[in-house]
Amino acid sequence: AQKITQTQPGMFVQEKEAVTLDCTYDTSDPSYGLFWYKQPSSGEMIFLIYQGSYDQQNATEGRYSLNFQKARKSANLVISASQLGDSAMYFCAMRRDSSYKLIFGSGTRLLVRP
Amino acid sequence: EADIYQTPRYLVIGTGKKITLECSQTMGHDKMYWYQQDPGMELHLIHYSYGVNSTEKGDLSSESTVSRIRTEHFPLTLESARPSHTSQYLCASSGLPGQGTNQPQHFGDGTRLSIL
């Protein structure tokens, strides 16, 4: 069975510092995709970054980068130079098999301290 | 910015009422999804559609039903609301026809439903 695990229910980071949010996954499918979403307290889900299982390089989008370690089945999100507006829930998700459906982890609540 | 809209944003209503949550997108995506999310918890897929007249149940059993008569519209209906239906409902869409599975899902702002 495919599964996403986020082991950090909550994290604190000082403004302007970098933070890593952990995500491990379990799948037997050779082809899969990994996504990170941000959910502010207002409730909407904001797409941040995508990594395909065959991508050779780690994905980057502005201050977001994905530390993809395929052998360890981990896809950690790195946020550089944290800002107060980064305070939110962060969800890791995996596209399963050959479908368009996603399964989500339980999320990590990040709080950026001024 | 993704163009996917959900109404209402908030709904407080009594038990036994029929409810329809609206979801529309203007991106031409053929794939649409409904998720249910309790506060601070993960999202659970309850319905999805890969095109007009195509609907499937998701992983979490739900008493709600959906329809997909037009590409851009994917409403969710509860025939008789109960307090156990209290939750946030998020609609999403992804991918133009023919695009691969690496396309992200774009979400609406959600509907926070409270059944008294």
Side-chain angles (χ1 to χ4, degrees), chain B residues 7 15 19 24 38 46 50 55 70-72 74 84 97 102 107-108 110:
Chain B
T7 57
T15 298
I19 300 166
S24 294
D38 291 330
I46 53 175
Y50 288 168
T55 61
R70 303 198 318 263
T71 297
E72 63 271 20
F74 191 39
S84 60
N102 62 340
F107 285 78

Side-chain angles (χ1 to χ4, degrees), chain B residues 49-98:
Chain B
S49 167
Y50 288 168
V52 171
N53 295 324
S54 155
T55 61
E56 301 287 344
K57 290 193 177 293
D59 304 313
L60 182 67
S61 176
S62 174
E63 294 169 345
S64 59
T65 59
V66 293
S67 62
R68 188 89 184 274
I69 298 171
R70 303 198 318 263
T71 297
E72 63 271 20
H73 195 213
F74 191 39
L76 180 145
T77 298
L78 279 163
E79 289 293 333
S80 180
R82 295 208 300 266
S84 60
H85 297 141
T86 294
S87 190
Q88 172 161 257
Y89 294 83
L90 288 154
C91 179
S93 72
S94 70
L96 296 172

Side-chain angles (χ1 to χ4, degrees), chain A residues 89-108:
Chain A
M89 283 286 286
Y90 289 81
F91 290 94
C92 181
M94 179 170 64
R95 167 184 58 78
R96 27 172 145 170
D97 300 332
S98 304
S99 84
Y100 299 95
K101 297 184 288 185
L102 296 178
I103 53 171
F104 284 83
S106 55
T108 296

